[in-house]
Amino acid sequence: MTTTDIPAPAARKPAATAAPKRRLKRESQGPAWVFLSPWVLGAIVLTLLPMAVSLYLSFTDYDLFSPPRWVGLRNYVQMFTEDPRYWRSVLTTLTYVVIAVPLQLALALVVALALKPMRRGKGFYRSAFYAPSLLGASMSIALVWRAVFNDGGTVDNLLGTGGWVNKPGWALLAVALLTVWQFGAPMVIFLAGLQQIPGELYEAAAVDGAGKWRQFLSVTVPMLSPVLFFNLVLQTIQAFQVFTPAFAIGAGKGGPADSTLVYTLYLYDRGFVASHMGYASAMAWVLLIVIGGVTAVLFRTSRSWVFYASEGDR
Amino acid sequence: MPGHRTKGFCASAAALVLCAMLAGCGGSGESVGGGKVVLRYTWWGNPDRAERTEQAVALFEKQHPNIQVQTSFSAYEAYKQKLATQAAGGDAPDVMQLDYRQIDQYASGGVLLDLAEQKAVLRTDEIEAGLLATGRLDDAQYAIPQGRGTETVAYDVKAWKASGVPLPGRSWTWSEWADAMRALAEKTGKPGATDPGWSEDCFEVWLRGQGKSLYTEDGGLGFTADDLTRWWTFTDALRREGVVSPAEQTTQLDGSVENTPLGRGEALSDSNWDAPASGFLALIPSGVALAPMPSGEDGTPGQYFKPSMFLGVGAGTGHPKEAAQLVDFLINDEQAAKILGATRGIPVNESIREETEPQLKDFDKTIADYQSSLEGSLKNPPQAPPSGDNALQATFQRDYDQVSYERMSPREAAENYVTEAKAELRS
């Protein structure tokens, strides 16, 4: 997706030696399937089957103990018309996505731009900025984060703002900042993208009298737009599914006063705390459809702002 | 390419071995342990309880060399969710600790074994009939109560004495309690207590003090939005005055003593069940004492003796007899009782209770003395809460959060709660 010129030379080679390739392919199919079998089985047993069951459960009332009872669309109707906390969780999630994703991508891009020309200590800085992404998904870091933003915690001591995690107006920001802090993955992808931009383009722009800012807007941004798009889609999908930081920072309850009650947390609450597995399944399917819809919209808008280098050739 | 085939073959073989290993992992673990019967025993609690439980289990294994017990524990909330998932997947542990709130759901869901069938190894004749009946449902003994507990106001004795406010006596009403908290807050500059508005248990005590109850006999709601509005108006006013803990503190409560304002050194008292109150000692080494819960204005007591927790056996266990033996040991064995002390409440076996009570030490003795001071003065416990109650406990806390953060009036929040509770109890 990021570059289009690499596959071209690779595609030329096999054409010359087409006959031996076919023979080789048949020979290696057996081992390939043996190797694949754990994953194929895993995909069926651990993904497709549970999905089918969950779809069925979403039309039932199921409390984990007695057998599921078919209720048709009642879960969906209840969700959309009778449950104010459902809409609260939707609003909280959207707020979170709108805060966290742009902040995270902006920070990732800024750090990638700063690291690109660096010669000494490159490896160190890249590792240092990437480390939070490796650690960040863990519960322990989320708990540390909670302690840092708690009253009497580091942030309180430095800024004297009191504990963020105990203020309904601030707690969601603390959750978002934990995500923003884990900008390592998009940063690495940005770095790779930046290195693909041919230096001649900058030289040409400089000759034409473009300053650093102009070069960024007219060369970097268009050349980087496929990578930017990729990161945007990926991070948005992830943001919709945020759970761990909200769970830890909201003390498992979406607190204080439901201010960190993101969608997946409410889903978990309905399913595992209140034992309404049917309702939780229905919520999960709505989430899947919404994420699919948002991704489709992003792809549609991408036509007007994502620029692929190969387009010039056609 | 002769080498290619060999390589492919080796790789296939390796992959097959890997599959076989993965499949092997999924097998039943019941036969491990050198031919011994292996029982899984899970419970919730704190490290103090863990240490004593491990000692008791070690003694059981010594007495029954053919049985091996694997224990695991976690905090209450996490335990509840994990057990529900295990039970739903048909993987309930052989022996499990259960809460009053879980009995109805688990028994009617077919998760628990009828322990009356194991009479030969599990004696129940020394448990008070009324208490034993709390584990019955539809004429089957699904669970055995393991201890007796009651609610209490635990307080930091040293700080309270230093403030000059008179120590709580043998009884007080809610308004006397509020006055004492107000005096404490004035003298020490710290809130006197955890905001009780957050706790469904405290609300129940308050409600019973007025002759009402949380649930009606047929499992409906036993109070109205007006009752709840009055309770939350009362607690919310105390919070605004700074007499009880602020919202930022209250919202951090999660059932562990470490996260209570008293445990964090931010308040002078806390309302809790008496058995977990032992955990305060590690946090307040200068001493914790227990006072009764406030009663209604006419002196009607609201608190009651409750089976603090139960032991149940999984319906799918492969070793019902051995599991029942473990339950019998934990409840009826004298040495086990000595080791366990009052960590799960005062023992239910009456002769053991009489025998061990004088030998209890430290905080176990405090709890025993506290319970005997209430003996005879409390009303009967309510019947086991209906299934929906499990979720309502959390709903109660959430709705009060809206009050204490001043996002809703007590009236609005109370009406919210009643609506949701009715829906929950209907389904």
mmCIF file of all heavy atoms in Angstrom, chain B residues 10 63 84 104 117 155 344 355:
data_model
loop_
_atom_site.group_PDB
_atom_site.id
_atom_site.type_symbol
_atom_site.label_atom_id
_atom_site.label_comp_id
_atom_site.label_asym_id
_atom_site.label_seq_id
_atom_site.Cartn_x
_atom_site.Cartn_y
_atom_site.Cartn_z
ATOM 1 N N CYS B 10 10.663 -32.360 6.916
ATOM 2 C CA CYS B 10 11.002 -32.034 8.317
ATOM 3 C C CYS B 10 10.044 -30.994 8.869
ATOM 4 O O CYS B 10 9.558 -31.103 9.992
ATOM 5 C CB CYS B 10 12.429 -31.474 8.415
ATOM 6 S SG CYS B 10 13.657 -32.748 8.243
ATOM 7 N N GLN B 63 -4.256 -34.999 55.816
ATOM 8 C CA GLN B 63 -5.234 -35.965 56.321
ATOM 9 C C GLN B 63 -5.780 -36.857 55.214
ATOM 10 O O GLN B 63 -6.238 -37.959 55.471
ATOM 11 C CB GLN B 63 -6.410 -35.215 56.973
ATOM 12 C CG GLN B 63 -6.058 -34.592 58.297
ATOM 13 C CD GLN B 63 -7.256 -33.888 58.909
ATOM 14 O OE1 GLN B 63 -8.373 -33.980 58.412
ATOM 15 N NE2 GLN B 63 -7.006 -33.170 59.991
ATOM 16 N N ALA B 84 -18.540 -16.554 37.076
ATOM 17 C CA ALA B 84 -19.715 -16.578 36.202
ATOM 18 C C ALA B 84 -19.341 -17.119 34.831
ATOM 19 O O ALA B 84 -20.053 -17.931 34.235
ATOM 20 C CB ALA B 84 -20.307 -15.177 36.077
ATOM 21 N N ASP B 104 -29.040 -17.838 44.350
ATOM 22 C CA ASP B 104 -30.258 -17.997 43.560
ATOM 23 C C ASP B 104 -29.920 -18.305 42.094
ATOM 24 O O ASP B 104 -30.395 -19.272 41.519
ATOM 25 C CB ASP B 104 -31.087 -16.708 43.661
ATOM 26 C CG ASP B 104 -32.425 -16.839 42.983
ATOM 27 O OD1 ASP B 104 -33.356 -17.328 43.635
ATOM 28 O OD2 ASP B 104 -32.546 -16.469 41.799
ATOM 29 N N GLU B 117 -27.106 -34.913 49.145
ATOM 30 C CA GLU B 117 -26.762 -36.262 48.672
ATOM 31 C C GLU B 117 -25.437 -36.754 49.235
ATOM 32 O O GLU B 117 -25.116 -37.929 49.131
ATOM 33 C CB GLU B 117 -26.667 -36.264 47.134
ATOM 34 C CG GLU B 117 -28.018 -36.134 46.462
ATOM 35 C CD GLU B 117 -27.889 -35.797 44.978
ATOM 36 O OE1 GLU B 117 -26.756 -35.867 44.456
ATOM 37 O OE2 GLU B 117 -28.918 -35.472 44.366
ATOM 38 N N TYR B 155 -13.639 1.965 63.072
ATOM 39 C CA TYR B 155 -13.058 3.298 63.200
ATOM 40 C C TYR B 155 -11.655 3.280 63.785
ATOM 41 O O TYR B 155 -11.245 2.352 64.463
ATOM 42 C CB TYR B 155 -13.980 4.219 64.007
ATOM 43 C CG TYR B 155 -14.266 3.767 65.435
ATOM 44 C CD1 TYR B 155 -13.498 4.232 66.506
ATOM 45 C CD2 TYR B 155 -15.326 2.893 65.707
ATOM 46 C CE1 TYR B 155 -13.773 3.842 67.805
ATOM 47 C CE2 TYR B 155 -15.595 2.487 67.004
ATOM 48 C CZ TYR B 155 -14.821 2.957 68.056
ATOM 49 O OH TYR B 155 -15.084 2.559 69.334
ATOM 50 N N ARG B 344 -13.325 -15.694 57.684
ATOM 51 C CA ARG B 344 -14.521 -15.713 56.830
ATOM 52 C C ARG B 344 -15.766 -15.487 57.679
ATOM 53 O O ARG B 344 -16.843 -15.936 57.338
ATOM 54 C CB ARG B 344 -14.601 -17.042 56.091
ATOM 55 C CG ARG B 344 -13.637 -17.146 54.918
ATOM 56 C CD ARG B 344 -13.850 -18.423 54.161
ATOM 57 N NE ARG B 344 -13.053 -18.467 52.961
ATOM 58 C CZ ARG B 344 -11.763 -18.757 52.904
ATOM 59 N NH1 ARG B 344 -11.122 -19.035 54.024
ATOM 60 N NH2 ARG B 344 -11.105 -18.778 51.765
ATOM 61 N N GLU B 355 -16.349 -23.533 71.270
ATOM 62 C CA GLU B 355 -15.044 -23.982 71.700
ATOM 63 C C GLU B 355 -13.938 -23.009 71.303
ATOM 64 O O GLU B 355 -13.025 -22.744 72.073
ATOM 65 C CB GLU B 355 -14.767 -25.337 71.039
ATOM 66 C CG GLU B 355 -13.820 -26.213 71.808
ATOM 67 C CD GLU B 355 -13.846 -27.600 71.191
ATOM 68 O OE1 GLU B 355 -14.909 -28.238 71.220
ATOM 69 O OE2 GLU B 355 -12.830 -27.990 70.617
#
